[in-house]
Amino acid sequence: MEDLTRRRALSIGALLGLASVASAPSAWSWSSAGSIAGTDTVTDPFQVWDPDADDVAARLLADGSIPAVNRAWDSWVRNQDALPSGMPGYLTDYLTEANQLPSWADPELLAASEKLYKRLNSYLFVSESLGSGILSTVIPRESRAVYWSAGGADMKDRAAKTFTFGYDLHSPTAWHPSGYFVVSANKTRLVHSVVRNLLVTSKHFMETADQPKPISNGDILITFHSVATVAYNNMNKWGIKRSAKEEAANLHAWQVALHLLGVQRQFIPVSWAEAQKQADRMLWPVVSPTAEGISLAKTLLGYIEDATLGLTTGFVNEMVRYLIGDTYADWLGLSHDWVSRALIKVAWPTYVAFREGLSPIVPDGIYLFDQFVRGVAMLFLNNGTSPTQTPIVLPAANRPGA
């Protein structure tokens, strides 16, 4: 049954342009020859974590510094901001090293990514927040880690914090001194480390765990593919034109982002072609429904329906089906709305072409899609109260009862 589920998942991924049909490998075999490190070794990313950040997180939990650090972080939001006072010295020492771009970061490509995202951010909102957000709920390790962590008990707040990472990366000033992304990435990295330390103390999480601790380099890469590689494929599927430099810039922004999250260079794909190979090996073979994921999906979809100001459950469900496919949507128990399905199938590609200036035809439902895009974007920005930022804070415990 497991093999059948896996084959079906790969087939629907291929149909959507999300994956190519491949057999799940018995052991990790993607070579770092396809990485930005350019070496030719085979190391399993699911057995690699983030020891420096994890040690810092363990000390923060042990000495009870989490509340003080969260207060200090209020003044540390922009790339240009000095590290705040009020933090333990060992955290300041760690951030002094971590809170900077790698030597291999290309300023020209990062600047090009800012221009690209300014043009594409509305499509990325849809692909990454709704499509990838719901897709994450059929990634078992991610679903269970989210559900049993503190964020799983308040998914609206957790989704807002997750979206802040993507929003800041796709900002037209992401890498500028006045931008937010480098700080957001460093905060997110430490959140991951705190969660790693906390979840191993959760009885319910550890009952289903198949790793000694969660959020390995491999798990972060799975999330990257479920967001960035899927969005890349959606841009192709929707006919959105990008130059070779724009595609390189898009990938480079994500390469630097992965570095800032603690992913080693030997695992970061050097090209979109290598990213596709990696996704076929690590993402599509593992998708599967879980009780935790179904619960999270139901909660997230309820928020989206509220945020879009009157859009029906049927329309939202069919947009999800359009983005992630019927197989995954069926796993999550999403209902059908055949009228909305017909509209979306015909009108969404026309809407994209019209907004891109590729077609003079005003599509049916243009106001509906505009409303939908705005609603999804605002949902994840501080629960709809801020047009720019949601504070990222460190948790001090797991989900109540975990």
Side-chain angles (χ1 to χ4, degrees), residues 6-14 19-23 280 284-285 328:
R6 190 170 282 171
R7 287 197 301 272
R8 285 175 176 169
L10 287 165
S11 296
I12 192 67
S20 61
V21 178
S23 298
D280 288 349
W284 305 114
Y328 305 157

Side-chain angles (χ1 to χ4, degrees), residues 239-357:
I240 296 173
K241 305 297 183 185
R242 289 100 69 211
S243 67
K245 182 175 181 179
E246 287 175 327
E247 291 198 354
N250 181 19
L251 179 62
H252 190 64
W254 278 105
Q255 289 169 334
V256 177
L258 287 168
H259 165 84
L260 292 173
L261 290 177
V263 176
Q264 296 181 5
R265 291 180 66 200
Q266 64 175 320
F267 303 129
I268 301 175
V270 73
S271 66
W272 281 115
E274 288 295 335
Q276 301 282 10
K277 291 178 185 177
Q278 201 182 70
D280 288 349
R281 186 156 294 277
M282 62 167 38
L283 170 58
W284 305 114
V286 304
V287 289
S288 180
T290 61
E292 293 91 343
I294 291 169
S295 175
L296 294 177
K298 182 177 180 181
T299 301
L300 284 171
L301 287 168
Y303 293 145
I304 291 168
E305 290 157 19
D306 289 343
T308 49
L309 304 175
L311 290 176
T312 67
T313 299
F315 178 85
V316 173
N317 285 355
E318 288 299 342
M319 276 300 302
V320 172
R321 286 182 175 277
Y322 179 77
L323 291 165
I324 72 172
D326 285 329
T327 294
Y328 305 157
D330 288 344
W331 289 350
L332 299 172
L334 272 61
S335 60
H336 281 283
D337 181 325
W338 301 108
V339 174
S340 294
R341 186 184 187 93
L343 171 67
I344 292 165
K345 184 177 181 180
V346 173
W348 177 257
T350 309
Y351 172 81
V352 171
F354 177 76
R355 288 297 184 206
E356 280 290 285

Side-chain angles (χ1 to χ4, degrees), residues 59-80:
R59 293 183 66 179
L60 291 173
L61 288 165
D63 63 22
S65 295
I66 298 293
V69 171
N70 285 335
R71 287 192 296 272
W73 278 9
D74 284 343
S75 65
W76 182 47
V77 292
R78 295 185 184 273
N79 300 336
Q80 65 193 7

